[in-house]
Amino acid sequence: MTFDYDTLLFGDGLGSLLNGRSSVENSYLWVIWRFGILGLIFTLVPLFMSISYYFKVERLSKNYKLASAFFFGIVMLYILTAFNPFINNSIGLMYLFCAL
């Protein structure tokens, strides 16, 4: 198994195996392996968007509690995705898009 910087940046593509396995349990590791660092950045864009939107809501606003609930739901979704590919399925993605 050789290492090159193109693989780190762009990934190995969808047809490669990792030690004879076609899937990896850790979703972020899978994204780096398949799509590289650029794919990981693309996966994290909704998280960064929600952080920027959340900090634009004023604390004294009547919508602050609702924004907090959706924001911390997104944070929980990304933490769960570190151990289980939850954001890759339709329920996780739908929650993420609705929360944004």
Side-chain angles (χ1 to χ4, degrees):
M1 186 170 183
T2 62
F3 173 79
D4 58 353
Y5 292 103
D6 289 342
T7 299
L8 181 64
L9 190 59
F10 300 112
D12 247 350
L14 295 174
S16 64
L17 299 175
L18 181 64
N19 293 332
R21 298 176 58 198
S22 62
S23 64
V24 178
E25 287 76 21
N26 186 321
S27 182
Y28 298 123
L29 179 61
W30 180 84
V31 168
I32 292 174
W33 167 45
R34 294 292 189 172
F35 304 113
I37 300 283
L38 295 176
L40 182 65
I41 291 170
F42 180 77
T43 303
L44 294 175
V45 163
L47 177 64
F48 295 131
M49 286 175 61
S50 66
I51 289 170
S52 70
Y53 291 152
Y54 179 68
F55 285 118
K56 290 179 183 177
V57 177
E58 296 179 12
R59 285 190 177 266
L60 299 176
S61 170
K62 65 177 184 175
N63 292 326
Y64 183 73
K65 289 183 180 180
L66 183 63
S68 295
F70 279 118
F71 173 70
F72 288 113
I74 290 174
V75 170
M76 183 190 73
L77 180 71
Y78 273 91
I79 291 171
L80 286 174
T81 301
F83 305 106
N84 189 8
F86 190 70
I87 204 167
N88 295 341
N89 67 30
S90 59
I91 296 171
L93 285 173
M94 193 53 116
Y95 176 80
L96 180 66
F97 291 143
C98 288
L100 274 177

